[in-house]
Amino acid sequence: MLNYLWGFMMLAGLFWAAVHGNLNQVTEGALQSAGEAVTLSITMLGIMSFWCGMMEVGRRAGLIERLSQALRPVMKFLFPHIPKGHQALSYISTNMIANFLGLGWAATPAGLRAMEELEQLECERRKASGLSIKPVPEGTASNEMCTFLILNISSLQLIPVNVIAYRSQYGSANPTAVVGPAIAATAVSTAVAVIYCKWMEKNRKKTLQKQD
């Protein structure tokens, strides 16, 4: 669908430029944007390498493990049905720490592993209860998976690395000026996400009790 959307936008832009005789400006803009894209990619690569390297240093130094332990009360509140010490909690903690530091690149692998572990956990639960080994109908996520996804999207951030890099690349006088507003905005979005997840979980319990 996105391919069709982008294709339509490109063709519409070319048609509009042809009608108004601005094809030369479109060509110049495309070439200039291509050069800026390469420069931005190099800038983002350097920033990504630095922060991912810092995450690896923190992991080897035991800092990530200590932060994960500090998050255990939060994990227990957000995911009360995940067994203590389960591998999913470790991946979720790593993902949340990376997102907190604005390291979406480092957060993605941990997030994917967390989803795999949560799916496996749901399979084990259903198998133990005598239900189908499949967690739920294909394409449907478990309650923990939905909660993790919503929290991952809301993503409380202390350092919005991407935005700072973009602002720096395009000549902002104060690239880090967005840190305060970003913390406030993501704090609100995360709070709303937590409230929504808990509300939906409560409604789900009521529905199951009525079915019983």
Side-chain angles (χ1 to χ4, degrees), residues 3-204:
N3 291 336
Y4 292 113
L5 178 61
W6 281 109
F8 171 77
M9 292 173 63
M10 292 174 64
L11 292 175
L14 291 173
F15 175 76
W16 186 264
V19 169
H20 291 81
N22 295 327
L23 282 176
N24 289 336
Q25 295 181 13
V26 171
T27 302
E28 292 176 1
L31 293 175
Q32 181 180 356
S33 298
E36 291 179 357
V38 172
T39 303
L40 180 60
S41 297
I42 294 173
T43 301
M44 295 301 295
L45 178 62
I47 294 174
M48 178 184 69
S49 300
F50 172 77
W51 283 106
C52 287
M54 292 295 290
M55 279 286 292
E56 182 63 19
V57 171
R59 185 186 68 80
R60 295 190 180 186
L63 178 60
I64 301 301
E65 179 63 26
R66 292 180 183 178
L67 290 174
S68 297
Q69 292 177 359
L71 284 175
R72 284 179 181 175
V74 178
M75 293 293 101
K76 185 176 181 180
F77 171 73
L78 295 175
F79 304 97
H81 302 298
I82 299 180
K84 183 179 179 181
H86 195 277
Q87 188 63 38
L89 293 175
S90 177
Y91 288 127
I92 291 173
S93 297
T94 302
N95 175 270
M96 293 181 68
I97 292 169
N99 276 325
F100 182 68
L101 297 175
L103 307 178
W105 317 283
T108 300
L112 294 175
R113 294 297 300 273
M115 280 295 188
E116 292 175 357
E117 291 292 334
L118 291 174
E119 183 178 12
Q120 182 63 32
L121 177 62
E122 185 67 13
C123 286
E124 293 173 359
R125 286 175 178 170
R126 293 180 65 84
K127 186 176 180 180
S129 62
L131 298 175
S132 171
I133 294 179
K134 292 183 178 180
V136 281
E138 186 176 357
T140 304
S142 66
N143 186 62
E144 287 82 6
M145 294 169 73
C146 291
T147 300
F148 174 60
L149 180 61
I150 292 172
L151 291 173
N152 198 275
I153 294 172
S154 64
S155 183
L156 175 64
Q157 286 192 7
L158 177 64
I159 308 173
V161 176
N162 287 347
V163 178
I164 292 174
Y166 293 144
R167 286 170 60 85
S168 177
Q169 176 65 32
Y170 290 104
S172 173
N174 186 9
T176 59
V178 297
V179 172
I183 293 175
T186 55
V188 172
S189 66
T190 301
V192 172
V194 172
I195 293 172
Y196 175 78
C197 290
K198 289 300 178 181
W199 177 65
M200 291 299 295
E201 183 179 352
K202 184 177 181 180
N203 286 344
R204 181 172 179 270

